[in-house]
Every structure is written in C-alpha cells, then in structure tokens.
Amino acid sequence: MADDKELFLRKSQQKTWEEWDAACEQKSPGFKKARETGDFEACFYQLCQNMNISLNLEPFVYFFDFDFYFCTSISNITPDYSKILSQGICSLYYEKDDCTNEFCKRYNAVLSCVELLIHRIIEELGKRASLLREEGASPEVLEHVEKQIHWFENMKTAGAETFEEALQRILFLNQLIWQTGSRLVGLGRLDMMLYPYYRRDVMERGIAEEQIVQAVHIFLHILHRDYWYKSSVLLGDTGQIIILGGVNQDGIYEVNDLTYQFLQAVKTCRLSDPKVVLRTSRGMPEELMRKAVECMATGIGSPLLSNDDVVIPTLLTFGVEKEDAYCYTTSACWEPLIGGKSSSMNNQCSLVYTEALYAMLMEEPLRRLNSYEAVKKSFFQYLRQEVIKCQRLLYFQKQQRNTLYSIFMEGCRESRKDITEGGAKYHNIGMTTVGLGNVVDALLNIERCVFQEKIYSMVDVKKICFYNYDGYPEAAGRLAVGKKYGKDEDDAAALANEIQRFVSSLTVDFRTAVGGKLKFGASSPAYIMAGATAEASFDGRKKGDPFIVHISNESVSSYTELLCFAAALDYAENRFNGNVVDLMVNPSFMELHLEKFTQLLLRGTEVGYFQLQTNVVSSDVLMEAKQSPEKFGSLIVRVWGFSAYFVELPESYQDLLIQRALQNEGKTA
C-alpha cells in the first residue's frame, strides 16, 4: 500500500497523509478502519453516504471527492458498460433465493450503495432546479437540469433512452470505479456500444448530427479534466482508451458514423487523454486509415493501430471464444483484453532480458563459453531463472477486491465469485518484457566480434559490461553500429523469435493461483525505469541508459524496413501481450507525404505488424520546449502506451524523446 499512498499524496497536491487521514475520518467516521481491514463494502457505503456531490451547469454530471482513498489493487481492465446501458440498476440484483454465498451478499450491498448515491444525486439536482427557478434561470437551463434528474431516475429501473443519457451512464460508472481506487480504467468500443443510441436519436428522433458531435466533445473534455488524479506512474498515464472499428466474426470490417466522429473529435480537441486505439485490417476502408493518419499528424499520439488480422488469431489460439476474440479491446496501453469479461491485469511484472546475459557473463566460467552456440545455450539457462522469478512473483500475487468491478464484469455474477477469486469469464495475467532488442543485438555482436572477426575475447565482453566500457573507448560506437534489431535482416528476427519461443515454452503451462494463464509481449513501459538500474550490455548501451523502445530502430533506412521486421516476429501461443512498432516521424515528412504514409500503414497492415504507434514531432520543437516549457504547455508526445504533455514529463523521458527524434532526423545534439 505504501507506493499507492505516495501516489495518492502526490496527486492530491494539498495534504500530508496524516492531515488527509484526519480529514477523512472527520468526514466519514469508520472509513479508515474499514479501509485498513480491507472491507470494501463498508468503505463503499461510507463513500456513497458521505461524499461531496459537486454539480455545475455542465451537460453531464461527473465529480470526484478527493478526500476518499480506497485500498484496492484491481486496475488496468475495462468494465462491462453495457450492463448499465441496457438495463436499470435494480435488474442487476441477486434475487433473495439466489443470494447463496458471501459474495452475493457483498454484491447486493454494493448495488444498494449505488442506488443510495443515485438518490442523493437526484436530491441535489432537485435542489439545484429549485434554486435556478428562484434565480429566474432560462427555460433551457431548467429543462436540462430536469433532463438530468430524469436520467438518474431512469438509471434505477430502465435502460438508457438517448445518446446523451448513454454517455451519462458511462461517465457515472467510470467515475465510481476511479473513486474506489482502481486505476487505468478503459472505456471500451464506444463506436459500437453507443451506435444504437446514436442511430435512434438521429434516425427516429431527428436529433441533429451537430448535437451528437458536441456531446462527444464535452464527453472527452470531462474525462480529460482530472487526468492529474487519474494518472498512474506518470502524468497522463490514465488508461482511458477508446476502441474504434474492428473485424466481426464474418470477416467484415465494422465501421459506422461514430467511428469517424470519435476520431475527428479526438483530433479536434487536441487533448493528451482520452486516447484512441483503432483496430485495423486489410479489409478496412482506406478513408478511415487516412483519417487516422490525419489525427496522428497533429502530434497527439492517437490513434494506436492494432492489427486484427494478427491479433485475433492469437486470441483464438490462446483459448478465447470466437465471439469474444472478435470484440477485443485493450488494457491501459495496448495489451489485448476482452473488455467487460476479463479481469486480466496485463502489466504485473517485467522480464528484463539483459539481466540473464549479464548474470551469465559474471557467473559462468568463461572457458565454457568457447563458441557462439555455447554462449546461447548458457544464456538460455540463465534466462530460465529470470522467467522462474517472474512466475513466482505472479503466482503469489494477491489482489484487494473491488466488488463494484465484479458487478460490471461478466462471469462474476454467474460464478458467484469476485474477480480477485477468478470469477470473471477470463482471468489470465500478463507479463511485459523489456530489452529484447538489446539482448538480440548483444548476442549478435558476440557472434560477430568474438567468434567471427575475433575483435574481442569473452574476457573483454565481461570487462566491457562490468566496467561500463571503461578501458574500451571505441567499443560503444563499434557495437552500436552493429545493431540489427528492427532491420529487415533474417538473423535478428530469427534470434528474437528463438528467445521468445523459449520464454513461451517455459510459461505456456503456467497457471496463477486462480487458474489463469500467462501471456507476455515485446513491449513494456519499463524501457527507462528498468534501464536506469540495469548494467551495461554488449550492444553499445551503457549502465543506466534506456533500453530500446518497444519495436523500434531510429537508424533503419526506411519505415518499411522496420514494419517488415515486425511482421517477421512470431506472436503465436502466448506471445501477444502487446507488440508495438514505435515510429518517430518528423512533422514535415508527414505534411509532405501524408498520402504516402497512409499507404505505408495500409501495406504494413497487410504485411502483418501487430500494433503500431507514432510520435510526430521534431527535435527542434522538443529541445525548445525543454528550454522554454512555459511556451509549450500544450505540446503532446507519445510516451509508452499513452500520450502526455511534454513539459510534465520527467527529464529522462524528455531527453530520450529528443535523442530519438535527433537520430530519426540524422542529427546530433
């Protein structure tokens, strides 16, 4: 809990922990004790009974009470918003005869608290309406408050009736989950989920398209407003992902007016968050890809592209039912997730590939490493130990429940089990990996420099890594020149596949304490954090330097080369927990070659990248923004799986982005 507490205090920006704890206890006696004993239901009751309800004249009701801090660890998943869209809260209860165990009682108790909060909101809206009448407010203002009262009254007993009411319900559930301490809360496939309400409004009720567009813009701004509170490790890391588009079970790419409208709204609003994942396919409309590229060209880092033609087959092979695989969403960054049906927390530990290589160099008698094959064999033995460490951590991991999430997660009601007990339909777990590119380049450098060209001995390799290149001034440059990861060369992709298949062989039969399977991928947010504590590696990377960012190589001769490399990687079995091609693109290139870039991405989809994201920004702008942050408050960059305001990032992230942009442009600092 210590890390979460420090994070909360950093975000609250106003109190010490003791001051906050005292204020919370005064406001809600008993909350602290309930939190310390892990009694989620008692905490939730105190919240719904005592939280401040903040209303204004905005079109939607959305508020937080920052005095309440929950002790829960469920995060990085997407609730089933359809449950609150298609029916009233009252329909979700267990009947008395069906309430057969402790989970059912907790489930019903939380629903009662939701009803309590709805009732309090209705009362406050009623008071607001009375006050507005006394003040002589316009009929339009009064009508809107009355409409909000109807929305919340209707929420108890019936499904949503209009597009705006559907947005309000999504916002209400979203705010409740954030308020109960869960982080990185996804938003699901909004174009598909909301389309029936949109169609009914436009086709049957005659609502103007402009009103729908305006509602979407307001919806995005409201979700963005408290990003400082919602952020996880870095400001902007909120996990608020909107999924758009996608192939259906018949192989037809599904797209509708809302797909384009959400994409256009994200482009127009120019916010760092929420972010968009666009599911792509060789059968997608070319115009949709063009609109996606136009959105990328603004520099906001959205949308990330996720290739259905590669992703969906991996989900099916992993055991996801066909109906669910074709409706996949993603976790907070890019990890494929069955939204509303999966409690898979996909970023629970990180395997650092270079640690195995460094341990081998330090511990293995060098006389045994007398050939490249002997080096590889020994490396895999040490890699096995690193994987076992991760598995041990994942097996014994315990989560603190959030019963609210269980209500809005398919499988829990049916199984009568909390998501922390494996109640969801899918309850797998995800591991990220970092340094794959570095270890591939390091091993290939050992093959070339030690056993082929005989420039160095294995003793030299050990000294270079141990002494961080001291005494070998030429080595870093020589080794960096030999980088092959990300280039369209068979040996780099083949070695990357060999390494990942080995990890897959070790993890494919792993099961968590509740029976979940393990998946991993080649992308990780830890490329700076893990790199900061990692020893030097034999690819030119010095101690403390960042690892290669996802699947990238700024020195490749063309984007096509990197895409071909990504397509050559094997994402089968359980190797699909996020595999992102990360492109640095100069704005002038995008401006001059927008159509060419569109065709490149369409072709890349056919060739078979797994996922792809862009940073469209110049080194000149980044360096100026670092020097004069007051002038660049709205400059947005892509960080790992999220976008953020450049000036709010730690210096290490700013410096890496500048370095990558310079390298991409063929410049030096």
Side-chain angles (χ1 to χ4, degrees), residues 7-300:
L7 180 64
F8 179 84
L9 292 174
R10 174 174 66 79
K11 293 188 297 185
S12 67
Q13 300 177 335
Q14 53 187 350
K15 298 185 180 87
T16 66
W17 179 256
E18 291 73 19
E19 289 171 337
W20 172 84
D21 221 8
C24 184
E25 185 64 18
Q26 182 178 6
K27 183 176 192 175
S28 183
F31 182 85
K32 177 182 177 182
K33 181 179 180 181
R35 186 189 70 238
E36 290 175 346
T37 58
D39 190 341
F40 177 87
E41 293 70 37
C43 286
F44 192 66
Y45 172 77
Q46 292 285 345
L47 171 74
C48 293
Q49 176 70 35
N50 298 310
M51 71 186 300
N52 291 332
I53 296 175
S54 304
L55 300 177
N56 50 42
L57 294 179
E58 287 184 343
F60 301 107
V61 174
Y62 192 80
F63 58 89
F64 293 113
D65 187 332
F66 301 124
D67 283 336
F68 286 90
Y69 171 80
F70 274 67
C71 187
T72 182
S73 56
I74 297 297
S75 64
N76 211 354
I77 57 178
T78 303
D80 183 0
Y81 293 101
S82 69
K83 285 192 174 186
I84 201 171
L85 291 178
S86 62
Q87 60 195 320
I89 293 294
C90 292
S91 303
L92 299 175
Y93 281 96
Y94 283 107
E95 296 294 338
K96 185 176 180 180
D97 293 341
D98 289 337
C99 199
T100 57
N101 66 5
E102 189 62 31
F103 168 75
C104 299
K105 296 174 183 176
R106 296 199 303 259
Y107 177 106
N108 278 359
V110 169
L111 276 175
S112 295
C113 294
V114 174
E115 280 202 88
L116 168 64
L117 181 58
I118 290 173
H119 178 72
R120 289 187 61 214
I121 291 172
I122 292 170
E123 281 190 336
E124 292 299 320
L125 286 169
K127 294 176 184 176
R128 168 60 61 87
S130 298
L131 182 61
L132 288 171
R133 289 191 193 94
E134 292 175 5
E135 294 174 347
S138 68
E140 292 78 14
V141 171
L142 287 169
E143 181 182 355
H144 184 73
V145 176
E146 292 295 338
K147 182 166 62 174
Q148 290 178 327
I149 292 173
H150 171 72
W151 287 347
F152 280 92
E153 287 177 339
N154 204 38
M155 198 182 296
K156 294 188 291 186
T157 57
E161 298 169 349
T162 67
F163 183 79
E164 286 186 332
E165 185 179 354
L167 290 180
Q168 175 64 80
R169 293 196 183 198
I170 290 173
L171 288 170
F172 178 67
L173 176 56
N174 178 271
Q175 87 177 52
L176 274 182
I177 292 176
W178 281 109
Q179 184 75 71
T180 54
S182 290
R183 302 194 301 274
L184 305 170
V185 183
L187 292 162
R189 301 181 72 194
L190 291 188
D191 56 344
M192 304 303 164
M193 193 189 315
L194 291 169
Y195 186 68
Y197 305 97
Y198 164 85
R199 181 177 174 82
R200 188 184 307 158
D201 275 8
V202 173
M203 303 298 292
E204 298 178 16
R205 301 179 65 235
I207 302 297
E209 290 274 354
E210 292 76 13
Q211 187 172 331
I212 299 290
V213 171
Q214 183 182 20
V216 170
H217 279 237
I218 295 169
F219 177 78
L220 295 177
H221 277 278
I222 286 175
L223 288 168
H224 176 265
R225 184 170 57 205
D226 296 302
Y227 75 91
W228 66 269
Y229 168 73
K230 297 175 178 178
S231 295
S232 185
V233 179
L234 298 177
L235 282 172
D237 180 19
T238 69
Q240 296 191 127
I241 292 184
I242 297 169
I243 311 296
L244 301 177
V247 175
N248 64 21
Q249 293 185 61
D250 298 322
I252 299 170
Y253 190 88
E254 289 186 313
V255 62
N256 57 47
D257 291 345
L258 278 179
T259 311
Y260 288 95
Q261 288 185 9
F262 267 104
L263 201 56
Q264 181 63 32
V266 168
K267 174 188 171 186
T268 303
C269 291
R270 297 288 295 271
L271 303 171
S272 65
D273 181 73
K275 55 198 179 219
V276 168
V277 168
L278 177 65
R279 288 175 42 178
T280 62
S281 168
R282 58 172 55 90
M284 71 182 296
E286 185 172 314
E287 179 61 17
L288 181 58
M289 183 65 86
R290 188 171 292 107
K291 293 297 183 184
V293 171
E294 289 174 1
C295 191
M296 293 177 190
T298 64
I300 61 174

Side-chain angles (χ1 to χ4, degrees), residues 383-633:
L383 181 58
R384 179 189 298 272
Q385 298 307 311
E386 296 300 321
V387 173
I388 290 172
K389 290 178 188 176
C390 290
Q391 290 177 325
R392 189 177 295 119
L393 175 66
L394 293 172
Y395 184 82
F396 289 105
Q397 203 169 56
K398 299 293 183 183
Q399 304 296 343
Q400 297 146 320
R401 72 176 183 267
N402 182 330
T403 309
L404 180 68
Y405 243 133
S406 295
I407 293 172
F408 295 96
M409 187 65 59
E410 184 175 318
C412 292
R413 179 185 173 87
E414 294 77 6
S415 64
R416 291 176 165 77
K417 291 195 298 185
D418 190 82
I419 52 177
T420 61
E421 300 166 343
K425 184 174 182 180
Y426 304 101
H427 44 267
N428 304 308
I429 200 163
M431 175 178 76
T432 61
T433 68
V434 67
L436 177 62
N438 300 89
V439 86
V440 165
D441 285 334
L443 287 169
L444 292 177
N445 276 336
I446 289 174
E447 180 184 33
R448 175 176 63 88
C449 296
V450 176
F451 298 107
Q452 293 177 353
E453 300 177 6
K454 302 187 186 305
I455 300 170
Y456 302 113
S457 68
M458 286 305 298
V459 172
D460 292 325
V461 174
K462 179 174 182 175
K463 287 181 177 180
I464 285 170
C465 294
F466 183 78
Y467 291 112
N468 196 28
Y469 290 85
D470 283 353
Y472 295 84
E474 81 297 336
R478 175 179 285 159
L479 297 176
V481 169
K483 289 181 178 180
K484 292 187 175 183
Y485 188 83
K487 294 184 177 180
D488 191 12
E489 299 190 26
D490 292 342
D491 52 353
L495 181 55
N497 284 332
E498 185 179 359
I499 292 170
Q500 292 207 103
R501 286 169 187 154
F502 177 77
V503 175
S504 185
S505 70
L506 298 176
T507 56
V508 70
D509 294 325
F510 173 83
R511 296 294 181 270
T512 66
V514 294
K517 294 190 287 186
L518 174 61
K519 48 186 174 172
F520 69 96
S523 299
S524 171
Y527 53 81
I528 285 183
M529 291 177 287
T533 58
E535 302 293 336
S537 47
F538 199 64
D539 61 327
R541 183 193 146 272
K542 295 187 177 180
K543 181 178 180 178
D545 285 351
F547 289 115
I548 290 174
V549 180
H550 313 317
I551 303 171
S552 65
N553 186 336
E554 270 62 64
S555 64
V556 297
S557 59
S558 69
Y559 296 128
T560 301
E561 185 176 12
L562 183 57
L563 289 174
C564 288
F565 173 83
L569 297 180
D570 184 359
Y571 307 110
E573 294 181 309
N574 62 343
R575 302 185 288 278
F576 63 92
N577 196 44
N579 300 285
V580 180
V581 178
D582 195 292
L583 299 181
M584 295 295 296
V585 185
N586 190 282
S588 62
F589 174 87
M590 189 71 88
E591 183 179 350
L592 293 172
H593 304 290
L594 191 140
E595 183 58 32
K596 182 179 179 180
F597 196 75
T598 300
Q599 295 303 318
L600 169 75
L601 296 186
L602 288 168
R603 175 59 180 156
T605 303
E606 295 177 3
V607 170
Y609 68 79
F610 193 90
Q611 292 162 324
L612 181 146
Q613 66 182 20
T614 60
N615 246 311
V616 182
V617 67
S618 73
S619 60
D620 291 341
V621 168
L622 291 177
M623 288 188 289
E624 188 178 353
K626 185 178 178 183
Q627 292 298 317
S628 305
E630 71 281 356
K631 299 179 182 178
F632 292 88

